[in-house]
Amino acid sequence: MVICNRTFRDIHAEIAELAVAGTAFEDFIRASFARVRPAASVDERQEALIQERLARHQLADSVFEFLYDSGRIDQVHERRTPDGGIVTLGSDITNLRKAEAELRQSERRFESYAGMSADWFAELDADLRFTFMSDSVATMNRAPAEFIGKSRDE
């Protein structure tokens, strides 16, 4: 390790003494598994998980997500520098993943609602023009495409 910021040290507070210049990446990862992630590390796969993380780090050409026991999700980017070093950048994407999950749930609810609808339904834009019309409008002997781009009065 050459340098890290305060957020990194805060996230890894349990092993903050290793978040200093000169710490080998492998030492940091092993301490992380041993102290920070004991629940995820107690099975026989611990060494395999450590080796997988070390191998990924040596490739230094990856983007992946890391889930902490706290529920925090980091997106990690690793790249090799021109002089052969490795830069690792992590970004907290917890709120993004939560928002995506909420959006998927909302879409499922909408699809369920739309599927149960006995009548036709439509979507309108800011100018109150149809942008979508369900196929069930055919019960009125009109094709959905006839409505797109038009207002209710047209």
Side-chain angles (χ1 to χ4, degrees):
M1 181 175 305
V2 176
I3 190 170
C4 64
N5 63 18
R6 182 181 4 215
T7 301
F8 182 87
R9 286 189 299 274
D10 290 347
I11 292 169
H12 300 91
E14 293 88 350
I15 53 175
E17 74 277 5
L18 294 175
V20 295
T23 300
F25 183 77
E26 182 172 351
D27 294 341
F28 189 85
I29 292 301
R30 287 187 179 283
S32 177
F33 272 85
R35 294 192 225 167
V36 178
R37 299 185 51 88
S41 305
V42 293
D43 66 18
E44 63 279 354
R45 287 193 21 118
Q46 177 177 348
E47 186 60 27
L49 293 171
I50 290 171
Q51 290 303 318
E52 179 183 315
R53 179 64 186 99
L54 294 173
R56 181 181 284 170
H57 181 69
Q58 285 305 310
L59 288 176
D61 187 26
S62 63
V63 177
F64 60 95
E65 293 181 11
F66 188 86
L67 173 63
Y68 291 89
D69 291 341
S70 66
R72 176 189 169 109
I73 304 169
D74 277 358
Q75 184 175 63
V76 179
H77 297 255
E78 290 188 319
R79 297 288 181 261
R80 194 163 298 281
T81 62
D83 67 353
I86 300 172
V87 174
T88 303
L89 299 172
S91 301
D92 182 353
I93 60 167
T94 308
N95 290 337
L96 173 64
R97 290 295 177 254
K98 285 180 182 177
E100 288 172 345
E102 290 169 2
L103 177 60
R104 283 190 300 276
Q105 182 179 11
S106 177
E107 288 172 340
R108 283 192 297 274
R109 280 194 308 264
F110 176 76
E111 288 170 1
S112 175
Y113 166 76
M116 293 185 304
S117 176
D119 295 326
W120 56 272
F121 62 94
E123 292 178 8
L124 304 170
D125 64 14
D127 296 323
L128 299 179
R129 296 193 173 279
F130 292 102
T131 58
F132 174 82
M133 182 65 67
S134 67
D135 290 334
S136 55
V137 75
T139 60
M140 298 179 353
N141 295 323
R142 304 224 11 223
E146 293 178 48
F147 293 88
I148 305 303
K150 297 180 181 175
S151 69
R152 289 180 50 173
D153 297 331
E154 295 179 64

